[in-house]
Each structure stands twice: as C-alpha cells, then as structure tokens.
C-alpha cells in the first residue's frame, strides 16, 4: 500500500512538472485520438461482455475533455466507430453501438459538457447507424449547438477513404448542377475544392493525432486532414490512458520541428 502511495505521489509531481513545461509552449489547436485497445483491455481484466468493455472506453471521454479544458485545447476529434467495425461479430458490434449510444445520451445532460460549453458533433456515414443511435447523436448535437468553447467531434461510422469519396461525389454533384462541362469540372478539382466538402470543413486540420494500444498506423483516420499532422503512438490501451500519457503526447508535439514540407 505504501509503495502504491509513493508511486501515486511521484506521478502527481511528474504531471505538475509536465504541465509547467507544456504551458510554456504553443498548444495544439486540434487533437485527434484513435480509440484503440478496448478489447485487449477487457480481456486483460477478465471482461467478456462487449457492451461492458466499450462502456469503460466511453468513460475515458470525460477525462480527455478535462485534459483538453485544462490545456485550453479548443478542438478534439475522437474516432469511436469505423466503417470497418460493421464487419465485426454481431454481439460485439451491438455492444459497441449500445455503449456509444448510452454515452451520447449521457452527454445531453452531462454537467461537464454544459459547464465547459462543449459543442458536440458527429461525422461519418451516419446513415449506417441504427435509428436509436442516430437519435442520440442528434440529441447531443441539439443540446450543445450554441456552445463553442471546446469542439468535440465524434467520428462514427467513419472511414478516411469513405470521407474523401463522399467529398468528391458532393463536389461533382454541385458542379454538374451548375451546368459546367466535364472539362471545366476536371479543371476545377483542387485540394481546396475537395476540402470544402469534407464532413467537417470548418474544423482546422488536426495538429496532433494520438493512437493508444501500440499500433503504429492511422487505419484510415482523417487521411485527408492529417497530411501535416504530428503522430504520437503509445502502448497504453485506450481505457487505461492517463493524464500523464496525454501530457507526454502534447509535449512530444511541442518538441517536433514542424517544417510543413519546406
């Protein structure tokens, strides 16, 4: 017990030291997080019920919001459900959807959301979601639509390739409706033109993307927007992510020399 108390005290001191260092440098204005490692965390803790496992991961959202408020990070995007997840076993998928839905309903009246003026929005192929989950999405968005101190974007039924395809399709539909020729449309396809049709074109590109769980890849997360993002990978599983891990990611971002291709 004494050993545990000493360890906790050392972590708190380390967190305070990191916080002082972080506050002396520029803070990322948009952080993306890939919520990976839920199943491995559940297995390591003897959990078998998918909904229970994913509810533990959903609870971590509250901590992340607190950390973002503390560091004055104005935008965070969390990848909660991918288009690939729909190919998982029915019991696991339904557990993931139920946990996501329950968390969304919690956000509607969560004191933390209203105290910190968090604007909640979901992006992705939302039409793939069950009606009950989509209703929870709309309720969270409506309850927070007048907020803007912290912008929380939930990527649900989301895939980076799908987003780019959907953006190009939307651009082409608009151009065709304007009566332009095929050549005029082709000449007008630019990065800026496609960018206008992304799921959240008003969001700045993420400066920092964090992936827990030890996997070192994006797996399709914000492929278009991450061209100049800094990546931070950690072996810590998403439900076990700590404040000190989040601080380390931000400090690592601050220590990078961002040349943007120059």
């Amino acid at each position: 017990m004494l050993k545990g108390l000493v360890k906790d005290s050392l972590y708190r001191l380390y967190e305070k030291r990191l916080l002082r260092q972080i506050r002396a440098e520029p803070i990322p204005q948009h952080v993306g997080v890939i919520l990976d490692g839920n199943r491995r965390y559940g297995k390591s803790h003897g959990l078998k019920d998918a909904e229970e496992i994913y509810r533990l991961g959903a609870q971590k959202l509250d901590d992340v919001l607190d950390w973002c408020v503390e560091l004055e990070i104005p935008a965070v995007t969390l990848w909660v459900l991918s288009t690939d997840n729909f190919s998982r076993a029915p019991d696991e998928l339904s557990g993931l959807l139920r946990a996501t839905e329950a968390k969304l309903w919690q956000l509607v009246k969560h004191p933390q959301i209203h105290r910190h003026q968090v604007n909640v929005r979901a992006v992705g192929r939302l039409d793939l979601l069950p009606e009950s989950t989509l209703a929870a999405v709309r309720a969270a968005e409506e309850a927070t639509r007048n907020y803007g101190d912290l912008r929380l974007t939930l990527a649900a039924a989301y895939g980076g390739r799908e987003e780019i395809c959907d953006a190009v399709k939307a651009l082409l539909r608009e151009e065709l409706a304007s009566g332009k020729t095929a050549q005029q449309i082709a000449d007008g396809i630019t990065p800026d033109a496609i960018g206008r049709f992304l799921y959240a074109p008003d969001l700045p590109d993420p400066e920092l993307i964090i992936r827990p769980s030890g996997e070192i890849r994006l797996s399709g997360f914000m492929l278009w927007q991450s061209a100049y993002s800094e990546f931070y990978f950690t072996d810590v599983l998403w439900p076990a992510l700590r404040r000190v891990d989040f601080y380390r990611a931000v400090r690592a971002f601050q220590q990078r020399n961002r040349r943007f291709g120059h």
Side-chain angles (χ1 to χ4, degrees), residues 96-111:
L96 173 54
L97 287 167
R98 286 195 300 270
T100 301
E101 185 176 321
K103 187 59 183 178
L104 283 163
W105 282 116
Q106 187 184 76
L107 294 180
V108 172
K109 296 183 178 180
H110 202 301

Side-chain angles (χ1 to χ4, degrees), residues 141-247:
E141 290 178 333
E142 177 61 24
T144 64
R145 63 186 177 88
N146 293 321
Y147 297 157
D149 287 357
L150 172 57
R151 301 168 74 183
L152 168 63
T153 304
L154 303 175
Y158 175 86
R161 289 178 174 178
E162 287 82 357
E163 179 178 21
I164 295 169
C165 287
D166 289 346
V168 173
K169 289 176 183 178
L171 171 59
L172 292 177
R173 290 191 191 101
E174 182 182 88
E175 297 289 70
L176 286 169
S178 71
K180 292 183 179 180
T181 66
Q183 187 60 55
Q184 288 173 327
I185 293 173
D187 291 341
I189 295 178
T190 65
D192 286 342
I194 294 173
R196 291 192 297 111
F197 293 92
L198 296 174
Y199 293 147
D202 56 317
L203 271 181
D205 291 344
E207 293 182 290
L208 169 64
I209 293 178
I210 302 169
R211 180 164 190 163
S213 84
E215 303 294 347
I216 306 177
R217 60 177 183 270
L218 283 180
S219 299
F221 182 58
M222 304 190 84
L223 293 177
W224 183 275
Q225 301 91 331
S226 63
Y228 294 106
S229 299
E230 300 295 333
F231 305 132
Y232 183 84
F233 302 100
T234 174
D235 290 336
V236 179
L237 303 177
W238 162 248
L241 196 73
R242 304 162 299 177
R243 176 183 274 106
V244 69
D245 301 312
F246 193 79
Y247 283 180

Side-chain angles (χ1 to χ4, degrees), residues 61-72:
L61 167 61
D62 299 341
D63 292 334
V64 171
L65 290 179
D66 280 340
W67 304 335
C68 287
V69 169
E70 184 176 44
L71 297 180
E72 298 183 357

Side-chain angles (χ1 to χ4, degrees), residues 242-259:
R242 304 162 299 177
R243 176 183 274 106
V244 69
D245 301 312
F246 193 79
Y247 283 180
R248 283 170 173 165
V250 174
R251 184 184 62 174
F253 162 83
Q254 293 172 331
Q255 292 173 338
R256 309 256 175 101
N257 181 13
R258 307 189 73 211
R259 294 187 295 271

Side-chain angles (χ1 to χ4, degrees), residues 104-122:
L104 283 163
W105 282 116
Q106 187 184 76
L107 294 180
V108 172
K109 296 183 178 180
H110 202 301
Q112 179 193 38
I113 294 293
H114 298 285
R115 181 171 64 252
H116 297 308
Q117 302 280 286
V118 180
N119 177 266
V120 179
R121 173 171 53 178

